[in-house]
Amino acid sequence: MTIHFTEVIEPNPMIIDALNRWENNPVLVPLIRPNKNKKELEQEWQITLEEFKSRLDTQHFYLIYIDDKLVGEMNYMVDPSHLHKREPGTAWIGITIGEEDGRGKGIGFKAIQYLEEEIKKQGLTRIELGVFEFNTRAYKLYKQLGYQEIARIADFTYWNHTMWSDIRMEKYLGE
């Protein structure tokens, strides 16, 4: 099994199809986007090629592969408005292992390490992220990678008939 990452420079319909499949997968939806209620949780979202191209103006986007199979994506943006701690030069990261056969193999661990190196190359020294409190697997991964909890935003997302907090975490990158 070979894991590799590719930066998206020019998106294509295959990438958009994968993103739309993951964005609407009922198993993944509660983990990857906040939802205010059951209706939002069940709503389908479709991203277009043009929409995705415009995202690349503010996001650095990478695809995650096992051998030659696309299994996920990761991205970061710099100083977005939704940071909890508005420290200039902060990267906000996101990761989705979209394909079930890509989960539980340590890919997330390697992907975050790769993303951290790419962020360091940009001269950034701080990363912030959000993880929903019921996503204990991701929380454990981030703790293992050195992320520290800095805040909890109550009643942030709906899942399983309950409102859950968003846990904000940060990590300062060493030299």
Side-chain angles (χ1 to χ4, degrees), residues 95-169:
I95 180 172
T96 300
I97 306 299
E99 299 300 328
E100 188 174 348
D101 58 355
R103 297 183 210 129
K105 294 183 163 97
I107 293 170
F109 186 88
K110 290 179 181 176
I112 296 295
Q113 289 179 315
Y114 179 87
L115 201 55
E116 288 176 0
E117 288 303 314
E118 293 301 305
I119 290 166
K120 269 200 245 183
K121 287 178 190 175
Q122 297 299 315
L124 303 171
T125 57
R126 181 177 177 272
I127 296 174
E128 185 174 318
L129 59 85
V131 60
F132 303 140
E133 72 178 305
F134 59 83
N135 192 351
T136 55
R137 214 167 141 187
Y139 181 82
K140 182 180 174 185
L141 171 66
Y142 296 131
K143 290 288 283 182
Q144 183 181 2
L145 285 164
Y147 289 81
Q148 300 295 314
E149 185 174 329
I150 57 171
R152 286 185 182 235
I153 303 170
D155 298 326
F156 191 83
T157 192
Y158 175 88
W159 178 70
N160 202 20
H161 311 289
T162 304
M163 291 302 292
W164 299 83
S165 296
D166 190 36
I167 303 170
R168 296 299 174 94
M169 303 181 83

Side-chain angles (χ1 to χ4, degrees), residues 78-80 83-91 124-128 150 170-172:
V78 180
D79 297 335
L83 288 175
H84 178 75
K85 195 174 180 183
R86 296 188 192 278
E87 194 171 307
T90 295
L124 303 171
T125 57
R126 181 177 177 272
I127 296 174
E128 185 174 318
I150 57 171
E170 72 178 352
K171 180 177 181 177
Y172 287 89

Side-chain angles (χ1 to χ4, degrees), residues 13-27:
M14 182 208 66
I15 295 168
I16 301 305
D17 288 346
L19 294 177
N20 282 322
R21 187 173 62 253
W22 302 335
E23 184 69 35
N24 294 296
N25 180 328
V27 173

